[in-house]
Amino acid sequence: MSRVGTIARRTFLIGTAVIAGGVAFGVYAYKREPINPLLKDLGDGQAALTPYVRIDQSGVTIITPRADLGQGVASILAALVAEELDIAWNDIRVDFGSPSAAYYNGIAAAEGLPVPATDSSFKARTTRVVGDAVSKFLGLQITGGSSSVPDAYEKMRIAGAAAREVLLQAAARRTGIPKHQLKTRDGNVITPRGEVLSYASLAAEAAKIEPPQKVRLKPAADWRYLGKPMQRIDIVAKSTGTATFGIDIRMPGMVYATVRANPAIGGGIKGYDASAAAKARGVIAVVPITGGVGVIADNTWRAFKAAELIKCDWGAAPYPPSSAAMFEVVASSFTGERQDSRLKDEGDVEAALQDAGVIEAEYKVPYLAHAPLEPMNAVVQLKDGRLDIWTATQIPLFVVATAAEVSGLAPDNVHLHSLMSGGSFGRRLEDDYVRQAVEIAKAYPGHPIKMTWTREEDMTHDFPRPLGMARMRGAVRDGKVEAYDLKVACPSVTASQIGRLHMPTFGPDIAIVAGAWDQPFRIPHYRVTGYRVPELVPVSSWRSVGASANGFLHNGFLDELIHEAGVDPLKELIRLCWHEPSRKVLEAVGEMSKWGSDVGKDRGRGIAFTLSFGVPVAEVVEVSNTPQGIRIDKVFVAADVGRVLDPTNFENQVQGAVIWGLGHAVNCELTFKDGVAEQTNFHAYEGLRLNQAPTIEVRAIDNGSPIRGIGEPPVPPAAPALANAIFAATGKRIRELPLNKHIDFV
Amino acid sequence: MRLIVNGKTHEVDVEDEMPLLWVLRDVLGVTGPKYGCGIAMCGACTVHVGGEPVRSCSLPVGDVKADVITIEGLGTPAALHAVQKAWVAHQAAQCGYCQSGQIMSAAALLSANDNPSDDDIDQAMSGNLCRCGTYPRIRAAIRAAARELKGRPT
Ligand code: FES
Ligand code: FES
């Protein structure tokens, strides 16, 4: 049975109940929620009060069922529960939980719908509810789309409140004291006489009590944790080398493996000669895997060395061999036949662009690798009809389905132990590395095996952000932007990625134009058209997905038009913007950067704005034009995520996302030769280093907007704000990334 | 061959050219130092050899002629080194994967120079890549650790 078939069947009964119940009426009904996965492995005296809280004799464990990729989601989700449950910060223990449909993500699917985040109409809201229902149906326990916090904001607080309520009831039953006279504090129920009953001691009784259907949440004014700087729960471990990543797992009898797969992705392997590798010191076995070879040895380095000795006869890539050839395919995709969407079409663009004085430009963006610092790895053990997998993943249910399919075991015999990961940026939305590890385990059962990729394997087997091109035309009149016609052509991330999960996609791919079609600007004649380039290299979600490219494309040419109109960029963006929260963000960044003041000789300021994942973000970049090249001095960022749950982590995420956006814009690209990525390691794919990192000032604007995540939205404006600043400082307009193809950087 | 790691002596039987990083991680089970690139470009594997910061992925173990200190030997959760304290206070880490190396580079800098300028910090830290972009917090943490090490009020 195919993977989707398996998943759908496993979740169908749960799913239909859910769709018929909670969602339609907007009531959070516990009984109709998907089965609580904690109930099945409970020991004596343990209670699982909701899918998010487990209590036993040693205390409370909060299940944070999203992958912590560095964004700090485990801490924030735990804080949501802890706030209502009333436990002390230092007593918080978290567990990523086992894969379960109960941990569906109701927000992530909504991001792919053709409804702009600024649309709060009934139709838009209904479409989003359908997104939630579909996600529940499929049990998509996914981490992505900056969705973890908005998805969890209510449901995990409710889980904490419900658990507290049950504990209070248990204490009332035991003591005979009416519930309303009992209080809680730091993991204990306190009686009016001052007796202290720990939650742990109440676990067995609490397990017998049905959680309430309705709970009252604390008003924000009473919050102890939320809205205040929190110490990340993993910060000491991550500062002492004691955090355990997948690559750090050690087990008795463990062996070590690596793989070499065809770097011409999908080209397959025609044959290989492993005679030298098999004789190398420490090598245990050389085994075939799909499209490549695996090497098992007694340590990782020996596996790496042996893998290099294998002579592989690779097949050719099923796509054009060079970047130049691929860009030709992109350039020839601006056709009616390839048109994928025209979600914005206001005024009469064709008529407005009849006159002389039409401004035209062409822009280009490259493939980009995720390249998280921890290379892909997984620990697997296939033994006695049971498969255990220790790894980090953003798609746990799909990983289990893949592992079941490859191993031939029933999904119930596949046990996934989710770990934190050393970065991801979307890379772990793919499960290729798990598939390989399970293939190796099948060839060498009975032992724990740690499979680790070399950096070279990682760089040459990424599922990159797609390349793309844009063709723009525009016109200005009386010092105003009058017409903007934007055409974007790139391969479909959604079709490529969802296709690998064996799921159908339908309708246009919003990712092709995300961050362009949905911007809150009113231009008299304004049109955004997406063209779907046929799949070339398989592509995937890369931090901020479609907006990562469109932020640059849309802002870059808009800045050109504004300059052509001879007006101030910030003033014109504010004038064009109809969306109040976005306008406030623009005004704030203007104030922070003292926009309009003298920036000094050989210096320049650039501004850009992108609304993505529902979050308006404006950035101003200041650069100096030095004899050694461009130096990025300072960045100002204003963003509106509604309420900020942890100001420290918020600032850290914004700064990281800005450095991510700038670093890739300055010097990163993945180019192809003979079907193989040419950048094999960090010597050729650097990003920014500490000496190049600007100071970054961050301000959160709360306009009372719905709560949103911040992991991705600051990425899209960074590249165009930098390019616009370079234009301001040098007069040089750069229309292609990376920028260092056209100008030097310090 | 004999190797002294975090004050403990080990006898290891490996090829001379095996990089110190992999001896630490896979032979001795010292997993604080991380593998990021294997070619001295990312700094995730940084340890101290004879007090100097080195990229252990590119140092053959046969060439190790002095004591090795890894992040585990710098401080522990119960007894943090001043640099680690500053890292915690500034919440420098995101994914944390680069941070063992960052901390070892910073500790080496501060043991040689307790009042580093921004240029000194740039020099010492530019070999450590952070894909999560935690540089602003790393810089702030280094300044705070320098103040603490000099006994100045923070
Ligand atoms: S792993 Fe040693 S510098 Fe990257
Ligand atoms: S914190 Fe993730 S690489 Fe530095």
Side-chain angles (χ1 to χ4, degrees):
Chain A
M1 169 158 235
S2 79
R3 290 191 279 177
V4 170
T6 319
I7 289 176
R9 198 186 55 205
R10 272 157 44 85
T11 56
F12 181 76
L13 292 174
I14 306 161
T16 46
V18 169
I19 291 165
V23 175
F25 302 103
V27 176
Y28 199 89
Y30 274 93
K31 280 196 249 172
R32 296 198 179 110
E33 281 301 293
I35 289 166
N36 177 348
L38 300 182
L39 292 173
K40 71 173 197 248
D41 325 299
L42 283 184
D44 273 355
Q46 289 187 324
L49 301 179
T50 85
Y52 301 104
V53 181
R54 185 173 63 222
I55 301 183
D56 59 21
Q57 275 70 20
S58 59
V60 178
T61 304
I62 299 171
I63 312 300
T64 55
R66 295 286 173 264
D68 205 315
L69 316 160
Q71 83 282 43
V73 72
S75 299
I76 302 249
L77 298 194
L80 290 167
V81 173
E83 184 67 75
E84 291 291 341
L85 181 55
D86 198 2
I87 49 182
W89 192 257
N90 288 332
D91 295 341
I92 293 177
R93 286 183 307 182
V94 302
D95 182 329
F96 291 129
S98 48
S100 167
Y103 302 128
Y104 76 94
N105 183 331
I107 302 285
E111 203 44 55
L113 302 169
V115 181
T118 45
D119 188 346
S120 55
S121 67
F122 176 73
K123 184 162 153 266
R125 276 183 284 131
T126 316
T127 312
R128 279 187 212 109
V129 168
V130 171
D132 182 83
V134 167
S135 167
K136 255 183 195 165
F137 173 66
L138 291 168
L140 294 175
Q141 187 188 353
I142 77 166
T143 305
S146 294
S147 63
S148 297
V149 163
D151 173 64
Y153 182 54
E154 282 225 325
K155 66 187 180 195
M156 292 198 69
R157 281 186 300 149
I158 290 172
R164 178 174 173 272
E165 188 62 28
V166 165
L167 290 159
L168 282 170
Q169 279 183 37
R173 280 191 199 177
R174 185 188 295 177
T175 59
I177 301 170
K179 200 183 73 185
H180 68 266
Q181 293 181 16
L182 299 169
K183 290 194 166 52
T184 58
R185 189 70 192 165
D186 288 346
N188 300 298
V189 176
I190 317 278
T191 69
R193 293 190 298 274
E195 285 165 293
V196 175
L197 292 83
S198 74
Y199 289 174
S201 74
L202 293 165
E205 282 153 281
K208 296 182 199 121
I209 300 171
E210 185 79 3
Q213 301 244 351
K214 276 191 186 155
V215 289
R216 184 172 311 175
L217 296 178
K218 273 188 195 176
D222 294 352
W223 283 347
R224 304 164 68 182
Y225 302 133
L226 302 175
K228 310 196 166 99
M230 302 175 211
Q231 176 160 313
R232 288 173 71 119
I233 50 185
D234 52 15
I235 195 69
V236 171
K238 285 179 174 176
S239 306
T240 51
T242 56
T244 303
F245 298 90
I247 204 169
D248 300 326
I249 297 260
R250 291 175 62 78
M251 282 182 212
M254 189 167 84
V255 294
Y256 302 80
T258 195
V259 297
R260 265 183 76 196
N262 188 344
I265 309 296
I269 185 164
K270 292 187 259 180
Y272 63 90
D273 171 5
S275 49
K279 282 189 253 138
R281 183 171 174 188
V283 170
I284 296 166
V286 178
V287 302
I289 60 166
T290 305
V293 197
V295 179
I296 305 168
D298 60 358
N299 69 51
T300 307
W301 177 70
R302 287 179 183 149
F304 284 0
K305 295 296 281 184
E308 278 171 24
L309 297 175
I310 301 172
K311 292 194 193 77
C312 297
D313 184 8
W314 303 126
Y319 45 80
S322 70
S323 289
M326 291 189 221
F327 269 113
E328 274 172 35
V329 178
V330 180
S332 62
S333 294
F334 292 92
T335 63
E337 189 194 332
R338 292 249 148 240
Q339 184 175 321
D340 186 68
S341 69
R342 179 165 283 168
L343 292 164
K344 163 97 71 188
D345 191 2
E346 285 162 11
D348 187 344
V349 170
E350 291 301 338
L353 295 174
Q354 286 303 321
D355 307 346
V358 170
I359 304 147
E360 291 184 78
E362 184 171 280
Y363 277 62
K364 270 169 99 171
V365 296
Y367 284 114
L368 290 171
H370 301 80
L373 199 57
E374 179 188 12
M376 294 302 104
N377 61 76
V379 177
V380 284
Q381 174 172 266
L382 182 61
K383 198 175 177 184
D384 307 327
R386 172 188 166 113
L387 175 64
D388 285 273
I389 304 169
W390 291 262
T391 198
T393 175
Q394 295 172 251
I395 48 167
L397 288 163
F398 290 99
V399 160
V400 169
T402 296
E405 180 202 301
V406 175
S407 65
L409 294 175
D412 286 349
N413 294 325
V414 176
H415 299 267
L416 171 64
H417 311 271
S418 291
L419 301 168
M420 64 170 92
S421 91
S424 174
F425 318 112
R427 180 61 181 84
R428 286 177 188 266
L429 284 164
E430 300 290 335
D431 62 9
D432 52 325
Y433 56 101
V434 178
R435 176 178 287 272
Q436 291 176 339
V438 176
E439 287 181 340
I440 293 171
K442 241 180 122 176
Y444 195 68
H447 305 266
I449 305 168
K450 174 156 67 183
M451 180 208 71
T452 307
W453 283 10
T454 60
R455 173 57 55 193
E456 289 76 11
E457 190 72 13
D458 197 278
M459 288 296 295
T460 52
H461 295 81
D462 203 307
F463 292 86
R465 193 281 301 272
L467 79 180
M469 284 175 70
R471 290 185 179 152
M472 303 85 162
R473 294 183 304 153
V476 300
R477 206 168 74 194
D478 306 332
K480 288 176 181 156
V481 175
E482 174 73 10
Y484 187 177
D485 183 28
L486 171 61
K487 296 176 173 171
V488 182
C490 76
S492 167
V493 163
T494 310
S496 187
Q497 186 170 10
I498 303 293
R500 281 189 295 282
L501 299 174
H502 302 294
M503 296 196 334
T505 51
F506 42 85
D509 181 9
I510 307 305
I512 293 173
V513 287
W517 80 280
D518 47 0
Q519 298 307 293
F521 296 116
R522 200 165 276 141
I523 297 170
H525 310 283
Y526 190 12
R527 187 165 76 179
V528 178
T529 314
Y531 297 88
R532 187 184 292 218
V533 176
E535 176 158 283
L536 302 164
V537 175
V539 287
S540 190
S541 296
W542 184 93
R543 195 173 189 173
S544 79
V545 201
S548 73
N550 289 320
F552 175 67
L553 304 174
H554 185 273
N555 278 284
F557 190 66
L558 186 54
D559 198 65
E560 292 197 45
L561 292 177
I562 292 173
H563 280 277
E564 197 64 32
V567 285
D568 176 78
L570 174 65
K571 279 199 193 121
E572 182 65 356
L573 289 176
I574 290 173
R575 190 188 69 81
L576 292 170
C577 180
W578 57 264
H579 183 239
E580 183 73 14
S582 297
R583 207 161 47 223
K584 292 214 171 119
V585 158
L586 282 162
E587 285 162 2
V589 88
E591 182 192 303
M592 291 165 74
S593 63
K594 303 197 173 61
W595 186 270
S597 67
D598 181 17
V599 70
K601 195 169 151 354
D602 290 323
R603 298 190 75 238
R605 253 190 217 117
I607 185 167
F609 168 93
T610 305
L611 189 149
S612 62
F613 306 90
V615 181
V617 184
E619 296 176 19
V620 168
V621 171
E622 280 182 19
V623 300
S624 296
N625 188 14
T626 78
Q628 292 75 41
I630 297 290
R631 191 180 61 222
I632 310 172
D633 298 317
K634 230 172 161 166
V635 182
F636 302 89
V637 189
D640 176 7
V641 290
R643 206 182 274 282
V644 170
L645 294 182
D646 176 355
T648 303
N649 191 40
F650 178 83
E651 185 186 73
N652 203 349
Q653 284 302 305
V654 173
Q655 290 174 333
V658 166
I659 287 171
W660 178 263
L662 294 175
H664 290 91
V666 166
N667 61 28
C668 293
E669 65 178 331
L670 219 50
T671 55
F672 287 79
K673 192 177 167 214
D674 301 327
V676 177
E678 293 182 283
Q679 294 72 21
T680 56
N681 208 318
F682 291 124
H683 65 288
Y685 197 86
E686 288 209 62
L688 291 191
R689 291 177 178 272
L690 180 131
N691 56 308
Q692 300 163 305
T695 55
I696 303 169
E697 212 177 284
V698 179
R699 191 186 290 179
I701 313 291
D702 183 356
N703 291 307
S705 312
I707 193 156
R708 301 284 190 177
I710 194 63
E712 299 174 274
V715 173
L722 172 58
N724 295 345
I726 292 170
F727 174 74
T730 66
K732 188 168 177 157
R733 180 65 73 180
I734 305 177
R735 301 186 180 90
E736 181 186 18
L737 297 180
L739 301 166
N740 73 344
K741 289 179 120 164
H742 302 276
I743 202 160
D744 289 336
F745 285 83
V746 171
Chain B
M1 71 190 69
R2 174 164 301 182
L3 209 56
I4 303 177
V5 179
N6 299 329
K8 248 170 88 181
T9 305
H10 303 267
E11 277 300 330
V12 292
D13 171 24
V14 295
E15 299 85 326
D16 272 359
E17 72 266 25
M18 185 164 170
L20 173 61
L21 173 67
W22 293 111
V23 178
L24 291 169
R25 290 182 56 83
D26 284 6
V27 181
L28 303 180
V30 178
T31 56
K34 301 296 189 234
Y35 167 71
C37 69
I39 58 164
M41 284 303 295
C42 79
C45 63
T46 306
V47 301
H48 297 174
V49 176
E52 292 295 319
V54 300
R55 314 293 179 218
S56 64
C57 70
S58 302
L59 179 66
V61 66
D63 293 347
V64 176
K65 300 289 181 235
D67 287 15
V68 177
I69 302 288
T70 71
I71 181 99
E72 290 93 338
L74 189 72
T76 63
L80 297 172
H81 181 272
V83 171
Q84 292 170 316
K85 262 188 222 161
W87 245 248
V88 171
H90 287 78
Q91 301 239 38
Q94 285 188 28
C95 83
Y97 195 76
C98 72
Q99 302 293 349
S100 297
Q102 303 277 6
I103 289 169
M104 294 309 282
S105 291
L109 163 70
L110 294 177
S111 74
N113 173 359
D114 65 5
N115 192 15
S117 65
D118 271 339
D119 270 358
D120 296 334
I121 295 176
D122 283 353
Q123 285 286 337
M125 302 303 295
S126 61
N128 290 79
L129 203 60
C130 176
R131 291 289 288 158
C132 299
T134 62
Y135 304 124
R137 311 189 91 76
I138 288 175
R139 189 184 291 279
I142 292 174
R143 291 204 191 108
R147 286 192 295 269
E148 162 144 356
L149 284 168
K150 284 185 63 142
R152 282 203 258 134
T154 49

PDB file of all heavy atoms in Angstrom, chain A residues 137-155:
ATOM      1  N   PHE A 137      -7.290  15.988   8.997  1.00  0.00           N
ATOM      2  CA  PHE A 137      -7.616  14.755   8.306  1.00  0.00           C
ATOM      3  C   PHE A 137      -6.340  13.986   7.985  1.00  0.00           C
ATOM      4  O   PHE A 137      -6.215  12.803   8.199  1.00  0.00           O
ATOM      5  CB  PHE A 137      -8.386  15.080   7.030  1.00  0.00           C
ATOM      6  CG  PHE A 137      -8.627  13.893   6.161  1.00  0.00           C
ATOM      7  CD1 PHE A 137      -9.453  12.863   6.584  1.00  0.00           C
ATOM      8  CD2 PHE A 137      -8.026  13.802   4.926  1.00  0.00           C
ATOM      9  CE1 PHE A 137      -9.673  11.762   5.783  1.00  0.00           C
ATOM     10  CE2 PHE A 137      -8.241  12.702   4.123  1.00  0.00           C
ATOM     11  CZ  PHE A 137      -9.067  11.676   4.550  1.00  0.00           C
ATOM     12  N   LEU A 138      -5.380  14.680   7.466  1.00  0.00           N
ATOM     13  CA  LEU A 138      -4.142  14.022   7.096  1.00  0.00           C
ATOM     14  C   LEU A 138      -3.210  13.850   8.283  1.00  0.00           C
ATOM     15  O   LEU A 138      -2.191  13.198   8.189  1.00  0.00           O
ATOM     16  CB  LEU A 138      -3.433  14.826   6.007  1.00  0.00           C
ATOM     17  CG  LEU A 138      -4.156  14.797   4.669  1.00  0.00           C
ATOM     18  CD1 LEU A 138      -3.562  15.824   3.736  1.00  0.00           C
ATOM     19  CD2 LEU A 138      -4.062  13.411   4.061  1.00  0.00           C
ATOM     20  N   GLY A 139      -3.581  14.459   9.391  1.00  0.00           N
ATOM     21  CA  GLY A 139      -2.726  14.339  10.566  1.00  0.00           C
ATOM     22  C   GLY A 139      -1.348  14.900  10.318  1.00  0.00           C
ATOM     23  O   GLY A 139      -0.338  14.359  10.732  1.00  0.00           O
ATOM     24  N   LEU A 140      -1.281  16.008   9.618  1.00  0.00           N
ATOM     25  CA  LEU A 140       0.016  16.569   9.253  1.00  0.00           C
ATOM     26  C   LEU A 140       0.696  17.169  10.476  1.00  0.00           C
ATOM     27  O   LEU A 140       0.494  18.337  10.771  1.00  0.00           O
ATOM     28  CB  LEU A 140      -0.159  17.673   8.218  1.00  0.00           C
ATOM     29  CG  LEU A 140      -0.676  17.265   6.848  1.00  0.00           C
ATOM     30  CD1 LEU A 140      -0.914  18.494   6.004  1.00  0.00           C
ATOM     31  CD2 LEU A 140       0.313  16.343   6.180  1.00  0.00           C
ATOM     32  N   GLN A 141       1.481  16.366  11.132  1.00  0.00           N
ATOM     33  CA  GLN A 141       2.172  16.885  12.315  1.00  0.00           C
ATOM     34  C   GLN A 141       3.424  17.609  11.850  1.00  0.00           C
ATOM     35  O   GLN A 141       4.533  17.238  12.194  1.00  0.00           O
ATOM     36  CB  GLN A 141       2.525  15.718  13.237  1.00  0.00           C
ATOM     37  CG  GLN A 141       3.088  16.131  14.580  1.00  0.00           C
ATOM     38  CD  GLN A 141       3.592  14.918  15.333  1.00  0.00           C
ATOM     39  OE1 GLN A 141       3.398  13.794  14.895  1.00  0.00           O
ATOM     40  NE2 GLN A 141       4.253  15.142  16.449  1.00  0.00           N
ATOM     41  N   ILE A 142       3.239  18.630  11.022  1.00  0.00           N
ATOM     42  CA  ILE A 142       4.440  19.184  10.413  1.00  0.00           C
ATOM     43  C   ILE A 142       4.917  20.443  11.124  1.00  0.00           C
ATOM     44  O   ILE A 142       4.139  21.140  11.765  1.00  0.00           O
ATOM     45  CB  ILE A 142       4.294  19.442   8.903  1.00  0.00           C
ATOM     46  CG1 ILE A 142       3.476  20.701   8.636  1.00  0.00           C
ATOM     47  CG2 ILE A 142       3.691  18.267   8.179  1.00  0.00           C
ATOM     48  CD1 ILE A 142       3.623  21.142   7.192  1.00  0.00           C
ATOM     49  N   THR A 143       6.195  20.692  11.006  1.00  0.00           N
ATOM     50  CA  THR A 143       6.784  21.911  11.528  1.00  0.00           C
ATOM     51  C   THR A 143       7.216  22.721  10.320  1.00  0.00           C
ATOM     52  O   THR A 143       8.004  22.249   9.516  1.00  0.00           O
ATOM     53  CB  THR A 143       8.015  21.605  12.395  1.00  0.00           C
ATOM     54  OG1 THR A 143       7.625  20.679  13.410  1.00  0.00           O
ATOM     55  CG2 THR A 143       8.560  22.868  13.031  1.00  0.00           C
ATOM     56  N   GLY A 144       6.664  23.909  10.180  1.00  0.00           N
ATOM     57  CA  GLY A 144       7.047  24.723   9.031  1.00  0.00           C
ATOM     58  C   GLY A 144       6.103  25.895   8.889  1.00  0.00           C
ATOM     59  O   GLY A 144       5.109  26.010   9.616  1.00  0.00           O
ATOM     60  N   GLY A 145       6.452  26.772   7.941  1.00  0.00           N
ATOM     61  CA  GLY A 145       5.568  27.898   7.638  1.00  0.00           C
ATOM     62  C   GLY A 145       5.381  28.863   8.796  1.00  0.00           C
ATOM     63  O   GLY A 145       4.371  29.543   8.877  1.00  0.00           O
ATOM     64  N   SER A 146       6.364  28.925   9.698  1.00  0.00           N
ATOM     65  CA  SER A 146       6.269  29.823  10.852  1.00  0.00           C
ATOM     66  C   SER A 146       4.929  29.657  11.560  1.00  0.00           C
ATOM     67  O   SER A 146       4.325  30.607  12.014  1.00  0.00           O
ATOM     68  CB  SER A 146       6.465  31.279  10.426  1.00  0.00           C
ATOM     69  OG  SER A 146       7.780  31.469   9.975  1.00  0.00           O
ATOM     70  N   SER A 147       4.468  28.407  11.630  1.00  0.00           N
ATOM     71  CA  SER A 147       3.103  28.164  12.067  1.00  0.00           C
ATOM     72  C   SER A 147       2.996  27.604  13.477  1.00  0.00           C
ATOM     73  O   SER A 147       1.900  27.494  14.013  1.00  0.00           O
ATOM     74  CB  SER A 147       2.448  27.175  11.102  1.00  0.00           C
ATOM     75  OG  SER A 147       3.143  25.934  11.166  1.00  0.00           O
ATOM     76  N   SER A 148       4.112  27.212  14.081  1.00  0.00           N
ATOM     77  CA  SER A 148       4.011  26.481  15.349  1.00  0.00           C
ATOM     78  C   SER A 148       3.328  27.308  16.430  1.00  0.00           C
ATOM     79  O   SER A 148       2.476  26.802  17.159  1.00  0.00           O
ATOM     80  CB  SER A 148       5.400  26.047  15.834  1.00  0.00           C
ATOM     81  OG  SER A 148       5.973  25.146  14.913  1.00  0.00           O
ATOM     82  N   VAL A 149       3.703  28.560  16.562  1.00  0.00           N
ATOM     83  CA  VAL A 149       3.127  29.376  17.629  1.00  0.00           C
ATOM     84  C   VAL A 149       1.656  29.702  17.358  1.00  0.00           C
ATOM     85  O   VAL A 149       0.810  29.460  18.220  1.00  0.00           O
ATOM     86  CB  VAL A 149       3.981  30.638  17.891  1.00  0.00           C
ATOM     87  CG1 VAL A 149       3.198  31.672  18.683  1.00  0.00           C
ATOM     88  CG2 VAL A 149       5.247  30.243  18.626  1.00  0.00           C
ATOM     89  N   PRO A 150       1.304  30.205  16.152  1.00  0.00           N
ATOM     90  CA  PRO A 150      -0.123  30.451  15.932  1.00  0.00           C
ATOM     91  C   PRO A 150      -0.965  29.192  16.100  1.00  0.00           C
ATOM     92  O   PRO A 150      -2.078  29.251  16.623  1.00  0.00           O
ATOM     93  CB  PRO A 150      -0.200  30.966  14.488  1.00  0.00           C
ATOM     94  CG  PRO A 150       1.182  31.044  13.967  1.00  0.00           C
ATOM     95  CD  PRO A 150       2.142  30.701  15.059  1.00  0.00           C
ATOM     96  N   ASP A 151      -0.439  28.050  15.683  1.00  0.00           N
ATOM     97  CA  ASP A 151      -1.199  26.803  15.810  1.00  0.00           C
ATOM     98  C   ASP A 151      -1.384  26.420  17.279  1.00  0.00           C
ATOM     99  O   ASP A 151      -2.430  25.929  17.678  1.00  0.00           O
ATOM    100  CB  ASP A 151      -0.471  25.683  15.048  1.00  0.00           C
ATOM    101  CG  ASP A 151      -1.109  24.329  15.283  1.00  0.00           C
ATOM    102  OD1 ASP A 151      -2.272  24.168  14.878  1.00  0.00           O
ATOM    103  OD2 ASP A 151      -0.460  23.457  15.888  1.00  0.00           O
ATOM    104  N   ALA A 152      -0.350  26.635  18.086  1.00  0.00           N
ATOM    105  CA  ALA A 152      -0.367  26.143  19.465  1.00  0.00           C
ATOM    106  C   ALA A 152      -0.918  27.152  20.466  1.00  0.00           C
ATOM    107  O   ALA A 152      -1.247  26.799  21.587  1.00  0.00           O
ATOM    108  CB  ALA A 152       1.058  25.768  19.885  1.00  0.00           C
ATOM    109  N   TYR A 153      -0.996  28.400  20.060  1.00  0.00           N
ATOM    110  CA  TYR A 153      -1.258  29.488  21.008  1.00  0.00           C
ATOM    111  C   TYR A 153      -2.491  29.227  21.872  1.00  0.00           C
ATOM    112  O   TYR A 153      -2.454  29.371  23.092  1.00  0.00           O
ATOM    113  CB  TYR A 153      -1.429  30.790  20.222  1.00  0.00           C
ATOM    114  CG  TYR A 153      -1.650  32.011  21.076  1.00  0.00           C
ATOM    115  CD1 TYR A 153      -0.770  32.339  22.103  1.00  0.00           C
ATOM    116  CD2 TYR A 153      -2.739  32.848  20.842  1.00  0.00           C
ATOM    117  CE1 TYR A 153      -0.976  33.474  22.869  1.00  0.00           C
ATOM    118  CE2 TYR A 153      -2.946  33.978  21.605  1.00  0.00           C
ATOM    119  CZ  TYR A 153      -2.060  34.294  22.622  1.00  0.00           C
ATOM    120  OH  TYR A 153      -2.268  35.412  23.386  1.00  0.00           O
ATOM    121  N   GLU A 154      -3.567  28.779  21.263  1.00  0.00           N
ATOM    122  CA  GLU A 154      -4.751  28.453  22.054  1.00  0.00           C
ATOM    123  C   GLU A 154      -4.713  27.021  22.542  1.00  0.00           C
ATOM    124  O   GLU A 154      -4.967  26.749  23.705  1.00  0.00           O
ATOM    125  CB  GLU A 154      -6.014  28.650  21.197  1.00  0.00           C
ATOM    126  CG  GLU A 154      -6.390  30.088  21.074  1.00  0.00           C
ATOM    127  CD  GLU A 154      -7.883  30.310  21.279  1.00  0.00           C
ATOM    128  OE1 GLU A 154      -8.663  29.432  20.877  1.00  0.00           O
ATOM    129  OE2 GLU A 154      -8.235  31.345  21.854  1.00  0.00           O
ATOM    130  N   LYS A 155      -4.396  26.112  21.641  1.00  0.00           N
ATOM    131  CA  LYS A 155      -4.619  24.727  22.046  1.00  0.00           C
ATOM    132  C   LYS A 155      -3.695  24.267  23.158  1.00  0.00           C
ATOM    133  O   LYS A 155      -4.119  23.495  24.008  1.00  0.00           O
ATOM    134  CB  LYS A 155      -4.706  23.766  20.855  1.00  0.00           C
ATOM    135  CG  LYS A 155      -3.536  23.521  20.005  1.00  0.00           C
ATOM    136  CD  LYS A 155      -3.994  22.651  18.788  1.00  0.00           C
ATOM    137  CE  LYS A 155      -2.828  22.358  17.885  1.00  0.00           C
ATOM    138  NZ  LYS A 155      -3.234  21.852  16.577  1.00  0.00           N
TER     139      LYS A 155
END
